[in-house]
Short mmCIF file of all heavy atoms in Angstrom, two decimals:
data_model
loop_
_atom_site.label_atom_id
_atom_site.label_comp_id
_atom_site.label_asym_id
_atom_site.label_seq_id
_atom_site.Cartn_x
_atom_site.Cartn_y
_atom_site.Cartn_z
N VAL A 188 -45.45 9.48 -14.55
CA VAL A 188 -44.20 9.92 -15.08
C VAL A 188 -44.10 11.45 -15.37
O VAL A 188 -43.17 12.12 -15.02
CB VAL A 188 -43.91 9.23 -16.53
CG1 VAL A 188 -42.86 9.90 -17.39
CG2 VAL A 188 -43.68 7.65 -16.32
N ALA A 217 -38.38 -4.90 -1.77
CA ALA A 217 -38.16 -6.12 -0.95
C ALA A 217 -36.90 -6.81 -1.35
O ALA A 217 -36.72 -7.97 -0.89
CB ALA A 217 -39.40 -6.98 -1.37
N CYS A 382 20.62 5.60 -3.00
CA CYS A 382 21.23 6.71 -2.20
C CYS A 382 22.78 6.62 -2.07
O CYS A 382 23.38 5.63 -1.87
CB CYS A 382 20.77 6.65 -0.76
SG CYS A 382 19.11 7.09 -0.64
N TRP A 430 35.18 12.93 16.03
CA TRP A 430 33.93 12.52 16.70
C TRP A 430 33.67 11.03 16.34
O TRP A 430 33.73 10.80 15.12
CB TRP A 430 32.76 13.43 16.28
CG TRP A 430 32.87 14.81 16.80
CD1 TRP A 430 33.06 15.85 16.03
CD2 TRP A 430 32.85 15.25 18.18
NE1 TRP A 430 33.08 17.09 16.71
CE2 TRP A 430 32.89 16.67 18.07
CE3 TRP A 430 32.59 14.69 19.36
CZ2 TRP A 430 32.95 17.46 19.24
CZ3 TRP A 430 32.58 15.47 20.47
CH2 TRP A 430 32.71 16.91 20.44
N THR A 485 48.56 1.34 8.09
CA THR A 485 47.28 0.59 7.88
C THR A 485 46.20 1.40 7.19
O THR A 485 45.04 1.06 7.13
CB THR A 485 46.65 0.13 9.24
OG1 THR A 485 46.44 1.36 10.01
CG2 THR A 485 47.56 -0.83 10.00
N HIS A 566 23.87 3.91 9.91
CA HIS A 566 22.73 4.35 10.64
C HIS A 566 21.39 4.11 9.89
O HIS A 566 20.55 3.52 10.43
CB HIS A 566 22.83 5.91 10.85
CG HIS A 566 23.68 6.26 11.94
ND1 HIS A 566 23.59 5.78 13.29
CD2 HIS A 566 24.89 6.98 12.02
CE1 HIS A 566 24.57 6.22 14.04
NE2 HIS A 566 25.36 6.89 13.27
#
Side-chain angles (χ1 to χ4, degrees):
Chain A
V188 168
C382 291
W430 293 112
T485 59
H566 284 300

